[in-house]
Amino acid sequence: MGIYEELQARGLVAQVTNEEKVREMLNNGKATFYIGFDPTADSLHVGHFMALCLMRRLQKAGNRPIALLGGGTGMIGDPSGKSEMRKVLTKETIEHNIECFKKQMSRFIEFGEDKALMVNNADWLLNLNYVELLREVGACFSVNNMLRAECYKQRMANGLSFLEFNYMIMQAYDFYTLYQRYGCNFQFGGDDQWSNMLAGRELIRKKIGGDTEDKAESMTITLLLNSQGQKMGKTVGGAVWLDPNKTSPYDFYQYWRNVDDSDVIKCLKMLTDVSLEEIAEMETWKDSQLNKAKEILAFELTKLVHGEDEANKAQETARSLFGGGGAVANMPETVVSADEFADGSIGLIKLLVLSGIASSNGDARRQITKDKCISVNDEKVLDANAAYTAEQLAGEGLVLKKGKKVYHRVHL
């Protein structure tokens, strides 16, 4: 089985522009491909995870990845899949986020001479002359066609800014520049990127051309990832980050341990190195056996992101907690500052927000009084005004619990 056939078997291929060429180039290690990452936060999250796993898988098969960091496009913002314009980031924030991305990506992809490349589109986008861009690139685009693109149609009802309207042109220019500088002949992305990706392919064909249609096509192949990656990423308190300071290894493990039964096989195929033969066996598992499959998924992905030691700790803690042992040694924890206390006590609402179990005071209040899913030291709490003294948070502190599966220790 070639790498392309494996990607198909793992459910990663959704759409291609020229399947015959895609198969031939990927299977023979002839692809130089890129995936873009706009630095909208100071950590990658599991929404990026599928792309990183794909890059890792394809590099092992002899193809060359380019991780494109959007220092330029990040200053505009991609309207794809968004209902409203997102916050415009400062140049300093974008540069900081890029440095964080670089460190995290190195866990998945091998960078270096004749290996993977990491480039920043600020190097060419921020120095563009606007009139020159309009003449050289803008002339290749039909406004009518752009407005028919799904990524723009979704925004027309709420208003699409001219700033965001330029995003497709800039992403297309990225592909064109990477082709010229590095011989990049593939672009990969999620379902919501298809219109932007086709725009880049067409720009290359119009600017570079070729003696035959086949020659032009072979230079501008694109591949589309299954949309499953776009659905990943939310848990208690917000996104699931790859940075252990934002999402602890235990919480990361628990996120995957708690995936829906209907998703566990899909995630094993898409994200892990577990063989397809082993996964096929797991597809026959039912009921309680699925919990073992979820453990395998959670362990493999935590090991990939945080290392085997952290994966072992997370698994041991989860087994102890849910087996009735109540161990707190490796449980995610938050140290509460003495400054957080008022009149010698601290409210449960504040503790839920500080720990990340709740995203806001309102969310914490709803969890306590409406959802009735919060316990402290295994005792259900229904009073939103509940508060705890410094003495109660001393030593091992308090164990906050949301539902049956989310634990967090708070202490001084």
Side-chain angles (χ1 to χ4, degrees), residues 252-263:
F252 188 83
Y253 177 95
Q254 282 298 104
Y255 172 77
W256 298 107
R257 174 62 181 79
N258 294 327
V259 298
D260 291 341
D261 289 356
S262 60
D263 289 334

Side-chain angles (χ1 to χ4, degrees), residues 149-189:
E150 195 62 34
C151 60
Y152 289 147
K153 284 166 63 177
Q154 295 173 359
R155 287 294 309 280
M156 293 300 288
N158 296 327
L160 176 70
S161 72
F162 183 69
L163 177 72
E164 296 171 293
F165 187 65
N166 280 269
Y167 192 92
M168 179 184 290
I169 295 174
M170 298 183 78
Q171 183 169 330
Y173 190 76
D174 282 342
F175 197 1
Y176 174 56
T177 302
L178 292 172
Y179 167 78
Q180 289 185 303
R181 294 189 180 189
Y182 308 110
C184 180
N185 50 19
F186 275 79
Q187 180 179 186
F188 293 76

Side-chain angles (χ1 to χ4, degrees), residues 236-237 352-353 355-359 363 367 374 400-402 406 408:
V236 291
L352 291 172
V353 173
S355 66
I357 289 178
S359 58
D363 182 36
Q367 290 183 30
I374 299 299
L400 308 179
K401 182 180 175 184
K402 177 184 177 181
V406 177
H408 200 102

Side-chain angles (χ1 to χ4, degrees), residues 129-136:
N129 177 285
Y130 186 60
V131 174
E132 181 183 356
L133 178 69
L134 288 177
R135 288 172 58 89
E136 296 300 316

